[in-house]
Each structure stands twice: as structure tokens, then as C-alpha cells.
Amino acid sequence: METNISTVQVVLMGLITVFVVLICLIVIIKILGLIMEKVAKKQPAPAAAPVAAAPAAAPAPAVSAQNNQQIVAAIAVAIAEEMGTDVSHIRIHSIKRI
């Protein structure tokens, strides 16, 4: 009879330990989330400035015109998403492979 009680106690202690640790992780993640939100609010928003690429180390391979337009469109969308603006506000003057 004593063996069954100790087995039940071990199972309950294991379950309690797991749930206490999970609750602690949830609390820690919530606190870190609040800290990150405060840090993000303190940082100024990036100014909408033209994006300039670094000079290329080697010449870029020839790309077809249609493929080039797709690349420019993808880069413009990525920049607009990062800056939080509309794609129509992005003007790309040149793109150089680095």
C-alpha cells in the first residue's frame, strides 16, 4: 500500500513541477515582451531616405529585362515593408550586387 502512495506522490510532484515551470516561462516571456515594446517605442522611426547600395566587388552577371524588373519589385517591396511605408513611396535609383 505504501508503494502506491509514493508513486502517486511522485507523479503529482512531477506534474506540479512541470506546470510551475511552464507558468514561470510564460511570465518571463510576457515581461520580456513588455520590455521589448518599451525599447521599440523609445527608438526613433527610420527616416524615409533613398537606399544606396555599396559598390560592387565584381561585375554582376547579365540578367534579362523581365527578371531585372522582378528583382527591383521584390527589393522595393522588402524596403517598403521594413520602413513601414507604401511601395509607391519608394524610388530605387540603382542596384548594385555586393
Side-chain angles (χ1 to χ4, degrees):
M1 192 73 166
E2 229 175 274
T3 305
N4 289 339
I5 293 173
S6 66
T7 303
V8 171
Q9 287 177 343
V10 170
V11 169
L12 286 176
M13 288 302 292
L15 287 172
I16 290 170
T17 303
V18 166
F19 283 108
V20 167
V21 170
L22 287 175
I23 290 170
C24 289
L25 283 173
I26 290 170
V27 170
I28 291 170
I29 291 171
K30 292 285 186 182
I31 290 171
L32 288 175
L34 293 173
I35 292 171
M36 289 297 146
E37 284 179 5
K38 288 182 181 180
V39 169
K41 287 181 182 178
K42 286 183 181 179
Q43 293 178 348
V51 177
V63 180
S64 68
Q66 182 182 7
N67 195 12
N68 193 18
Q69 289 176 352
Q70 291 174 348
I71 292 171
V72 171
I75 292 172
V77 169
I79 293 171
E81 182 68 29
E82 182 66 28
M83 293 175 60
T85 62
D86 190 28
V87 177
S88 61
H89 296 121
I90 304 297
R91 181 176 296 164
I92 298 176
H93 296 283
S94 67
I95 297 174
K96 296 179 183 176
R97 187 177 300 264
I98 55 173

